[in-house]
Amino acid sequence: MPASGSRAAAIAARLSAAGLPARVEEYDRYTSVEAQIPEMPSADLWREALEVVAEADRFGLHATSQNGRTLWAVVHKAVPATGDVGEPSHQR
């Protein structure tokens, strides 16, 4: 399993252990982890969840009136070492 998959799996396992069953999805450039947040989470649950997702490269909370609240985290996959992807090369 690539390093991003291992990190994402560890994040998902910790969220699940805290009582937030998580799902992991692989994409071309990153691995994502999502978990539904209960309507009235305890302060301890929030603290644990934030500690866990802080291990990711990016994280946030998506809230809608239709689907409730989803805590998400993204772990980037390795990028090529030959320059920044998506930006002009400065090599000559």
Side-chain angles (χ1 to χ4, degrees):
M1 177 181 291
S4 65
S6 296
R7 284 179 56 207
I11 290 169
R14 287 183 61 199
L15 286 172
S16 293
L20 301 171
R23 61 190 169 279
V24 177
E25 292 191 33
E26 292 286 334
Y27 295 93
D28 289 340
R29 295 183 181 191
Y30 62 90
T31 304
S32 74
V33 179
E34 294 183 353
Q36 290 298 120
I37 300 294
E39 190 171 318
M40 297 295 289
S42 69
D44 289 338
L45 179 60
W46 268 121
R47 192 172 307 118
E48 177 70 17
L50 291 175
E51 277 182 27
V52 171
V53 296
E55 306 268 325
D57 296 318
R58 292 179 31 206
F59 65 90
L61 181 69
H62 182 75
T64 67
S65 59
Q66 296 172 344
N67 297 329
R69 294 179 288 191
T70 302
L71 183 63
W72 59 267
V74 169
V75 178
H76 295 291
K77 293 183 177 178
V79 295
T82 58
D84 294 329
V85 174
E87 296 194 12
S89 174
H90 298 288
Q91 297 177 353
R92 296 180 186 211

